[in-house]
Amino acid sequence: MPVTTTSAAIHITPVVIKTFIKHAKRKGIKLKDGDSSVNGWDDILYDEAFHIVKAFIELGTRNTIESLQAFTNTHVPAPFWCAVVPAKIPLSSCNKAADALIEWFGPEELKHVVGGERWWQIRGMEWLDAEWITEKAYLKDDLPELDKQLTEDEKTTLRMEHLDRVMLYVHGGAYFWGSINTHRYQVIRYARKMHGRAFAVNYRKAPQYPWPCPVQDVLAAYFYLTSPPPGAVHQPVHPSKLVFAGDSAGAALCLTVLTVLRDIGLPQPAGAVLISPWVDLTHSFPSVMNNTATDIIPPHGFIHKPSPLWPVNPTAEEGYTRAIPTRTNPPPQPGHADKLKPDGDRATDQTGERTENSAGKGGEHAADLQESPENVASQKEMQKEDSIDNPGSDAAPVGESDAPEKDNDRVNGKDDLDYAAAEEFWEPKPPKVLMEDPNATPLELRAQIQIYATTEQLSHPLVSPVLQSSLGNLCPLYILTGDGECLRDEIIYVAHKAAHPKDYPSRQGVYREGRRQKENAEKFQTPTKVHLQIFDDMCHVLTVFTFTEPAKYAYRSIAQFIKHVTDNTEEHLSSNPFPELHRPPSEISDSESGHGNVGPPKLSTPSKGSSRSRSKSPQRPRGPFAKTETESGQSDVEMYRSNEAIAKKEVRRGKAERLHSQGSSSVTAHEDSDKDISGVYMIRERVDVLGHVRPMEPAEEIDALRLKPYEIGLIKEAPVMRWLAGQEAWDKKYKRAADHVIRKRRQYEAKADRLLEHAKEQGLIHEELRPHRSRASSAASVSSRSVGEVESDRRWGPLDLKDENPPPSAIAGRKDTSEAVALLRKTIYHNAPATHRTVPKLKTSDAVRAAFDPHDHPFKPPQQSVSEQQVHAQLMPMHGLRIWQSIVELFMRKSTKKVEHGTKRASSALRSTGDKLTSGASSSRSDSDPLPSVLSQVS
């Protein structure tokens, strides 16, 4: 059964019941033992929601990727009290983003690392889906000067123009699922609390559109906002009024795009909010293995039921296997993937080896190369070989290990021609796994581990930002992570790397393999201002659980950060980017507070200089004990104000990190003044389950920060073996499905070949298919024969991949999936790229077949990939995404009622106790005894 609302309900309902029973037992044991400690699992609502989310993600792994993508990319109507306006980012903005990436990569890296400059620009739709989001109550009244010819959506867009704070939100989902629909409810809360508007982008997703497709789309959204194309309704958003925000994969995309903007000299936004960013796709940090039980990530990672789309190799055809003991000595070294661009004489050497191998019994690919088993060294022996990334080789400063590469000594002439031919023939050898036993023979990987990028690309700095040579000189960052999540360690590391670019260098191989990385390490040494918070007991993306106390505080704190960086000048932010250290404290109006409720906000007109009322806002009980119930009742604003004061104390006590030019005396001077506390460049805090902050322990006590540069970005045994165990279990469970996939792929490939052949018969003219006439004569052919059109802004299509090497899963280079056939058909018959000279008519026989195909149409363009185009369900009384939003709203209301009840009981008990104590002690206490007055104040 695919991922649907019904299948989700069937799968999740038993989980809800089991969780309730286990929670009751655990709570009873704590009460029996007199255990008064408080943790996140004491809250039944968080306990249930955590297991609901975890169960849903596990359900996704039991289904195909396309099924999960379709469910999470289904259009769901927005709540009536929100203003949500669909937006279409045109191809012109996408092309501008492509040009920026082409400039960043350069021709050599584009060719060898990315696989070309065309395939990742290919898309099915004529635009990129996005949407504007804000509260309806924030809209200006109908503007009489608006053009009557404007649509209602365009008018609504103009009515939110006065909201100058803009958040560009990039949703998460492991780069392959999720959409603006799954995250809309969270984005609405941000827009309300920051009293601004948000712009959410529905970027293309892997495996159909792998790296760097999502990077291009986020860049396109940035250009759409800051440089609106002709026809856009909104005015340009100045970067100083823009903040990037995202969660998980979306947060990593935000960080990646920030480094691209920095490197090519474009303006960065005012700040960025990174919630649980996934910054190391090699899984080289300890928490990836240690925190599995306390996180929502599936136990074996993201593995899925086989489909024509994924995995690339669903069965063990022709002796294929995912991992075997390595059959060759380095390179690459254990833990590393081979270079995508060879250096020295390796290309010519490999050409000779493969040619000789293919003439004998062996295969002709690099993966087929092997040495005699007795000559294959152990891992320990391999690491003795001279390698820049072996242990102990990371200490050399940038520039000191830059011996000239062998190919630099070649002279022009025949050698250059031979090398160029060998370079074209080059294939990287399989990556080697770093084993825990140094005497073991390393494994070598034959399969792609991550869905987002090939294994050879995982250590690229735009795939795993933790491997950037420098994260200095970026805009202010607010980084949040849960202490119980698998990505905790890499997030802690990347935060410190940004704030201390000199203290956390990358391994030397990064400088050698990327032309920009050595330059960046030397060029960007200014510390990035960072506020890092680690939330006790929280899992991945804590903001999903909006009803919890830590999440309520997080939403408020994020809103205050956005307001601070967008309302103040760049000069001011260079001195103080932290709202907690702003003097006087920032204002929070009633309209932004939300009072912890859900649904339509109750608005009041905020007056300048006013602050939110201190009236109690009911909150959820923070545990099963009376002790914690008496502490409840704080609103998110009150939590923020309390933590704001603690942040000030942290600075005074030297817990925050300050620039050397700023002495401690400046703190004292500013303590009681109306000036900002300046000179702080990093605040490091932990947040407990009550939403209260405390300083983090020193950096030297944090395990994640003890890793050496050469240990980061390695492919290690434990994560690989866990992934392999899951894959082997899935191979047995879905063997019949995998066999069926092979047959389906052959059918789709035959269909694509037939479609292409018929298109040529109908007059398709393309430079790679047949000689064509001049552009002037072909233009007449287009107008006279076509039913579609050639789009000048659509640069490339699936027929334009000569000399390109797209990843195996990329839809642009495939013909063996239904989505690949749909893309091919659309770019031939409906919306052709500029390289096509004609747009032919559909052959009658193909039109008849399309009429009987539920996924096709004889006249309209076919539905494009669910990783790109939203699904608009015809019958959808209640979609699962809307049900989840309803569950969150229910939990918010339940928590509010619980706390109201708990607070009343606590107050009643205190009054009763006070009356008894007062009456019993009246004869022995004097009139000056303060107890009655104290109890009166408490009650």
Side-chain angles (χ1 to χ4, degrees), residues 469-744:
S469 62
S470 173
L471 289 174
N473 292 76
L474 298 178
C475 63
L477 304 178
Y478 183 16
I479 303 177
L480 301 86
T481 181
D483 193 51
E485 70 170 295
C486 291
L487 307 185
R488 179 198 62 201
D489 287 352
E490 63 198 67
I491 296 169
I492 292 174
Y493 190 92
V494 87
H496 285 79
K497 183 183 180 76
H500 303 272
K502 294 181 180 179
D503 297 338
Y504 297 91
S506 293
R507 51 186 171 85
Q508 285 294 309
V510 172
Y511 304 128
R512 292 286 299 274
E513 294 171 18
R515 69 181 184 90
R516 284 190 177 274
Q517 297 310 309
K518 179 184 174 183
E519 299 173 7
N520 291 351
E522 299 170 343
K523 185 178 180 181
F524 301 123
Q525 290 293 314
T526 302
T528 296
K529 312 295 194 306
V530 177
H531 188 177
L532 170 65
Q533 288 185 328
I534 306 173
F535 287 72
D536 292 350
D537 297 337
M538 290 292 103
C539 64
H540 188 58
V541 191
L542 66 106
T543 49
V544 168
F545 307 94
T546 56
F547 47 85
T548 64
E549 220 68 26
K552 291 175 185 177
Y553 163 67
Y555 276 98
R556 168 57 52 207
S557 188
I558 289 170
Q560 292 306 108
F561 173 81
I562 293 172
K563 290 195 289 184
H564 181 76
V565 297
T566 55
D567 291 353
N568 291 288
T569 64
E570 184 177 354
E571 180 182 3
H572 180 100
L573 296 177
S574 66
S575 174
N576 173 32
F578 306 113
E580 293 84 356
L581 306 183
H582 187 70
R583 296 295 177 268
S586 55
E587 301 173 0
I588 305 176
S589 67
D590 284 338
S591 63
E592 300 160 8
S593 68
H595 300 274
N597 297 325
V598 293
K602 298 178 181 179
L603 298 176
S604 61
T605 305
S607 59
K608 195 166 184 177
S610 67
S611 60
R612 185 191 179 284
S613 169
R614 298 284 293 180
S615 61
K616 295 291 182 181
S617 174
Q619 304 291 315
R620 72 171 181 86
R622 301 172 177 88
F625 310 109
K627 174 183 176 181
T628 58
E629 286 180 349
T630 60
E631 296 172 358
S632 65
Q634 276 192 314
S635 71
D636 61 338
V637 177
E638 291 168 329
M639 278 190 285
Y640 179 81
R641 292 301 188 203
S642 174
N643 292 338
E644 190 177 46
I646 294 173
K648 180 180 176 182
K649 292 180 180 178
E650 290 178 27
V651 176
R652 185 175 68 241
R653 295 172 181 172
K655 298 293 184 181
E657 299 180 13
R658 300 174 61 83
L659 297 173
H660 294 300
S661 59
Q662 300 287 337
S664 58
S665 59
S666 63
V667 181
T668 305
H670 290 155
E671 271 184 15
D672 300 317
S673 71
D674 58 354
K675 296 182 179 180
D676 279 16
I677 301 175
S678 61
V680 177
Y681 68 93
M682 188 176 193
I683 297 178
R684 306 159 62 254
E685 295 175 320
R686 290 188 178 272
V687 185
D688 66 22
V689 296
L690 309 181
H692 302 152
V693 303
R694 65 186 187 276
M696 272 184 68
E697 61 273 25
E700 54 269 18
E701 296 179 12
I702 300 174
D703 291 340
L705 302 180
R706 295 174 182 170
L707 292 182
K708 302 296 182 182
Y710 61 79
E711 297 178 280
I712 297 171
L714 300 184
I715 303 169
K716 298 181 179 179
E717 179 182 3
V720 168
M721 296 307 294
R722 181 176 64 181
W723 171 78
L724 280 174
Q727 289 287 6
E728 289 172 0
W730 256 227
D731 287 344
K732 295 178 182 178
K733 186 172 185 177
Y734 299 112
K735 185 180 185 304
R736 293 181 62 184
D739 294 336
H740 181 67
V741 163
I742 301 300
R743 295 192 295 271
K744 290 294 291 183

Side-chain angles (χ1 to χ4, degrees), residues 168-415:
L168 171 56
Y169 195 87
V170 187
H171 69 81
Y175 295 103
F176 74 95
W177 63 281
S179 70
I180 53 181
N181 297 286
T182 56
H183 288 65
R184 186 181 294 122
Y185 185 67
Q186 299 172 49
V187 178
I188 289 170
R189 289 179 65 84
Y190 291 124
R192 175 197 295 179
K193 291 184 178 294
M194 74 181 194
H195 203 283
R197 52 187 166 141
F199 188 79
V201 57
N202 210 35
Y203 58 89
R204 294 170 295 165
K205 296 166 192 71
Q208 299 96 318
Y209 294 100
W211 179 82
C213 296
V215 180
Q216 181 199 0
D217 288 357
V218 176
L219 263 175
Y222 167 84
F223 287 126
Y224 179 77
L225 293 175
T226 57
S227 305
V233 178
H234 70 281
Q235 294 297 311
V237 177
H238 195 277
S240 65
K241 294 295 183 180
L242 177 65
V243 170
F244 285 0
D247 64 275
S248 190
L253 285 171
C254 289
L255 184 57
T256 294
V257 171
L258 286 179
T259 62
V260 172
L261 295 176
R262 176 199 65 182
D263 293 352
I264 61 179
L266 292 175
Q268 296 181 52
V273 178
L274 309 180
I275 305 166
S276 298
W278 187 12
V279 293
D280 176 25
L281 273 73
T282 65
H283 287 336
S284 60
F285 285 85
S287 61
V288 166
M289 297 300 298
N290 298 339
N291 284 1
T292 303
T294 54
D295 205 358
I296 56 176
I297 305 301
H300 298 291
F302 291 103
I303 57 176
H304 287 269
K305 179 181 177 180
S307 72
L309 172 64
W310 185 267
V312 175
N313 299 102
T315 62
E317 280 192 323
E318 299 178 357
Y320 165 80
T321 183
R322 293 188 177 87
I324 61 172
T326 185
R327 299 186 297 187
T328 63
N329 288 313
Q333 281 285 334
H336 295 268
D338 206 356
K339 293 184 178 182
L340 290 166
K341 181 184 183 303
D343 52 21
D345 294 326
R346 282 199 64 199
T348 52
D349 291 345
Q350 188 191 97
T351 300
E353 286 184 66
R354 288 169 57 192
T355 303
E356 181 181 349
N357 204 35
S358 62
K361 297 181 179 180
E364 62 178 358
H365 296 287
D368 298 319
L369 298 177
Q370 57 182 306
E371 300 178 27
S372 301
E374 61 273 11
N375 292 334
V376 177
S378 67
Q379 177 173 288
K380 187 175 182 180
E381 293 169 333
M382 290 181 182
Q383 291 179 327
K384 291 179 181 179
E385 295 186 20
D386 184 25
S387 173
I388 198 166
D389 280 326
N390 274 343
S393 301
D394 66 298
V398 178
E400 291 188 9
S401 298
D402 302 319
E405 299 189 10
K406 294 181 181 180
D407 59 304
N408 291 341
D409 296 329
R410 290 182 287 106
V411 295
N412 294 331
K414 184 176 182 299
D415 286 347

